[in-house]
Each structure stands twice: as structure tokens, then as C-alpha cells.
Amino acid sequence: SGQLDTLCFDKTGTLTEDGVDVMGVLPVAKGYIERLTNVCDAPLRFLQCLACCHGLTDVDGQLIGDPLDLKMFAATGWILKEPSG
């Protein structure tokens, strides 16, 4: 069996070029990493986390925020609705 001893997450952009894309997610079940899965096919709880855990805001109909947050949210296919005052 194989194992991972290092995972790299590049939220700061120090490892990547100009831009980032979400290729999918790697769900973990019972301690094992499953196959690469399309974000929309991921378990609901995972999808909810991606759709809700961000610092995005809607300004005049355009989402504004961290580029990685924008890509993760876009990959969910969800729509951000700001609370109305």
C-alpha cells in the first residue's frame, strides 16, 4: 500500500504561475483517499464546505475576493446570494 507524507496547498501563489484551476477533489473515507472526483459529484458535506467557506462578496453582480476562493466557489456551481437588508 502507498502513503503520502507531504501535501502542498498553494493558497499564497508562491508555487503556481498566474492563475489556478480546480481540477476536482480527493475525498477521504475511512482514512483512505478516494479517486479524483468532480467537485459537483463530491459528498454533499464537502460541497457545502467549498460553497460556504470563503470570503467572497457580491458587488454590483460580480463576485469579488481571493482568486482561489473564486475558483473553488465557481467549481461548486452554486450561486452566492447576499443577505438583503
Side-chain angles (χ1 to χ4, degrees):
S1 72
Q3 71 181 51
L4 298 173
D5 68 351
T6 306
L7 293 173
C8 295
F9 297 94
D10 188 30
K11 186 152 175 103
T12 62
T14 56
L15 300 176
T16 61
E17 296 178 11
D18 187 26
V20 65
D21 289 314
V22 176
M23 302 301 293
V25 296
L26 292 169
V28 176
K30 298 181 182 179
Y32 295 96
I33 297 174
E34 297 179 352
R35 65 178 172 77
L36 183 65
T37 303
N38 181 294
V39 172
C40 294
D41 296 331
L44 179 60
R45 178 63 77 196
F46 194 93
L47 185 60
Q48 290 170 328
C49 289
L50 286 178
C52 297
C53 186
H54 57 73
L56 302 178
T57 190
D58 184 317
V59 177
D60 296 326
Q62 181 176 352
L63 287 181
I64 304 295
D66 181 85
L68 182 56
D69 288 350
L70 288 165
K71 290 287 188 167
M72 287 188 325
F73 185 80
T76 68
W78 288 26
I79 297 170
L80 180 67
K81 291 190 178 184
E82 295 282 3
S84 57

